[in-house]
Amino acid sequence: MNEGERVRWYVFALGSEDDFHTAHWHGERVLEDGRRRTDVVELLPATMKVADMVASNPGSWLYHCHVAEHMMEGMFTQFTIHPKAAKAVSTDPSVAFFGLTTAGQSLQIKRAELINGNELQLAGTVTVFDAFSIFNQTVALKIGGKTIAFQPDRSGLATAKGSTFRVRNVNPYGVIYGGSLEFEIVLKGDGWQGELKQLSGKTSLPVTLQLGEARHSATAARVVGKP
């Protein structure tokens, strides 16, 4: 969204007695059902509320359920308010759904290169909750019919069967702030030869990345075969 725009949020909860939720906006406040200003809206199962916001605080902000177990299971995302001086985001539906085509993608693969047919390099970002401790999580990557699990240390580095996983934006204590984890993955070794051979010449690559209990899926736009 753009600074100064009026934004209306429709929030609702479904399910059972486990689905008591608290929608929380960082960096902004909303007008809940036209009656009170707050940054947290409580939801019971099968209830709906309307929250109005004037986008006044430029930046990328966390939006999540404040029930700890729910946030750990993936109920978090981020919303971005672009400053007036920046290039505005178009809200024309013909350009982008809700103004940003990638708004619903928690996993984005920005680079996928197949090198010599025996090494696959991936780089991208995945949404995580704020103050995410990478060394407490198991990272599982699935490509095709094969899955590999990594256990990163506090530096954000993990190796498994000749392949590596590296976090690019982890702080010295093994924590990631800002709601977005930047990663690089290199897959190689005898265990991947069969899968990588099938990728040669393809222009897309389905990828699933699981961090703890949160599972994210995306498709790489291109797989480049590099001599």
Side-chain angles (χ1 to χ4, degrees):
M1 62 199 74
N2 301 307
E3 184 181 4
E5 286 183 336
R6 294 174 58 86
V7 182
R8 171 160 286 181
W9 300 72
Y10 299 92
V11 293
F12 61 94
L14 301 173
S16 66
E17 64 275 9
D18 293 325
D19 294 286
F20 290 85
H21 299 300
T22 49
H24 178 211
W25 291 264
H26 284 218
E28 287 284 3
R29 291 194 303 165
V30 298
L31 183 64
E32 177 192 346
D33 287 339
R35 61 186 178 86
R36 67 162 182 158
R37 293 200 178 276
T38 180
D39 61 0
V40 179
V41 171
E42 305 87 358
L43 295 165
L44 299 175
T47 61
M48 296 161 281
K49 292 185 178 180
V50 172
D52 290 309
M53 172 191 293
V54 176
S56 59
N57 195 1
S60 292
W61 301 103
L62 185 66
Y63 174 58
H64 64 100
C65 179
H66 231 302
V67 179
E69 291 85 353
H70 296 171
M71 186 164 62
M72 291 292 291
E73 291 169 358
M75 293 192 72
F76 55 87
T77 188
Q78 62 182 4
F79 65 99
T80 300
I81 300 173
H82 294 272
K84 291 180 179 179
K87 184 179 180 181
V89 173
S90 173
T91 54
D92 184 341
S94 65
V95 176
F97 180 66
F98 280 135
L100 192 62
T101 53
T102 59
Q105 299 176 8
S106 59
L107 173 63
Q108 297 182 42
I109 305 299
K110 298 182 177 181
R111 178 171 60 86
E113 290 188 9
L114 184 61
I115 299 175
N116 294 330
N118 60 9
E119 179 178 311
L120 178 63
Q121 297 181 1
L122 299 173
T125 62
V126 61
T127 301
V128 295
F129 57 83
D130 204 26
F132 182 82
S133 298
I134 186 61
F135 57 89
N136 287 332
Q137 308 293 332
T138 298
V139 179
L141 173 70
K142 181 179 180 181
I143 294 178
K146 192 171 181 61
T147 300
I148 186 170
F150 297 99
Q151 188 66 56
D153 57 20
R154 288 181 183 270
S155 71
L157 178 64
T159 59
K161 300 179 180 179
S163 298
T164 61
F165 173 88
R166 183 186 301 275
V167 181
R168 297 183 57 194
N169 61 328
V170 65
N171 74 7
Y173 304 100
V175 180
I176 298 162
Y177 290 98
S180 182
L181 183 155
E182 301 174 11
F183 65 84
E184 292 179 343
I185 300 172
V186 177
L187 299 176
K188 57 183 179 180
D190 294 339
W192 283 93
Q193 294 305 307
E195 295 295 333
L196 297 184
K197 185 176 181 180
Q198 297 179 34
L199 297 177
S200 182
K202 290 191 174 181
T203 58
S204 63
L205 173 67
V207 178
T208 298
L209 191 67
Q210 183 164 340
L211 289 84
E213 298 298 321
R215 183 176 298 174
H216 311 265
S217 297
T219 300
R222 254 182 109 192
V223 179
V224 181
K226 193 173 182 181

